[in-house]
Amino acid sequence: LSLHDALPILGVVVAVAVSLFLVALVFVGGVNLLRKKKSEYTTYFKFAGGLEPGSVVRYGGLKVGTVGSAALDRADSTRIKVVLQINPGTPIKTNSQARISSLGFLGENYVEVSPGTRNAKLLPPGSEIPAMEIVQLSDVFNNVNNITVNATKLVNDLDEQIIVLAKNSNELVNN
């Protein structure tokens, strides 16, 4: 096989490889290759939980979009502004809520948007989806630690009171 005869075959192989790569980017990587218009919504969290541009947005468990951006809110530095880019036609309702969730214990975090109720009106694109804050594991550990410290103090105080009560009871019986 001469070089002249191999060039068309090589061209076909390269074209097929590039096509497969682009298909993989679109379907696996979620790249918006055709630049279909997305509906944009905003939500605010106190803790962003590792969200970053490209993180998945799910509606009722179905993938419907991605996180467009996540940054400190310029108007209120105690919260994170998260812009969601969601497929048009996704029925985000006025009583839908956004929360950070993960698939499995070690899975990456994503934004879950609840479906809301059947009779609620649709939320127009550009609106804010109210956020439901999640309890962080560190907060749970801090609360358990505080309860343990308080319980230990209570037991020690009760122990001292019981000793005094027993001493007074013994004196009363002796008298």
Side-chain angles (χ1 to χ4, degrees):
L1 206 72
S2 71
L3 182 62
H4 182 67
D5 293 336
L7 280 177
I9 295 172
L10 184 61
V12 168
V13 169
V14 169
V16 168
V18 168
S19 299
L20 288 175
F21 179 72
L22 292 176
V23 167
L25 280 177
V26 170
F27 289 107
V28 178
V31 173
N32 191 2
L33 193 62
L34 303 176
R35 297 289 171 214
K36 288 189 276 184
K37 183 111 172 91
K38 300 281 187 173
S39 297
E40 207 167 82
Y41 294 89
T42 305
T43 190
Y44 298 90
F45 295 106
K46 295 283 184 194
F47 176 72
L51 291 180
E52 54 191 32
S55 294
V56 173
V57 175
R58 294 181 182 276
Y59 176 84
L62 300 174
K63 183 179 175 185
V64 295
T66 58
V67 170
S69 66
L72 285 175
D73 181 14
R74 292 182 184 179
D76 181 356
S77 64
T78 65
R79 63 186 190 171
I80 309 299
K81 178 181 180 181
V82 179
V83 176
L84 308 176
Q85 296 178 341
I86 298 178
N87 296 338
T90 303
I92 307 293
K93 304 286 183 86
T94 54
N95 62 353
S96 292
Q97 290 184 319
R99 69 181 174 95
I100 299 173
S101 191
S102 66
L103 290 175
F105 190 65
L106 297 176
E108 286 192 32
N109 288 348
Y110 65 92
V111 177
E112 176 70 39
V113 178
S114 68
T117 56
R118 181 182 311 209
N119 296 330
K121 293 181 180 178
L122 291 176
L123 189 66
S127 300
E128 178 182 337
I129 301 172
M132 179 180 9
E133 295 292 337
I134 58 171
V135 177
Q136 298 174 37
L137 201 53
S138 62
D139 291 339
V140 172
F141 287 142
N142 286 337
N143 289 340
V144 168
N145 185 44
N146 290 338
I147 290 170
T148 303
V149 168
N150 290 337
T152 302
K153 185 177 182 304
L154 179 63
V155 168
N156 288 338
D157 290 347
L158 282 174
D159 191 36
E160 291 173 11
Q161 295 296 326
I162 290 173
I163 290 172
V164 169
L165 185 61
K167 191 176 192 180
N168 289 343
S169 298
N170 282 339
E171 286 179 18
L172 182 64
V173 169
N174 287 338
N175 290 338

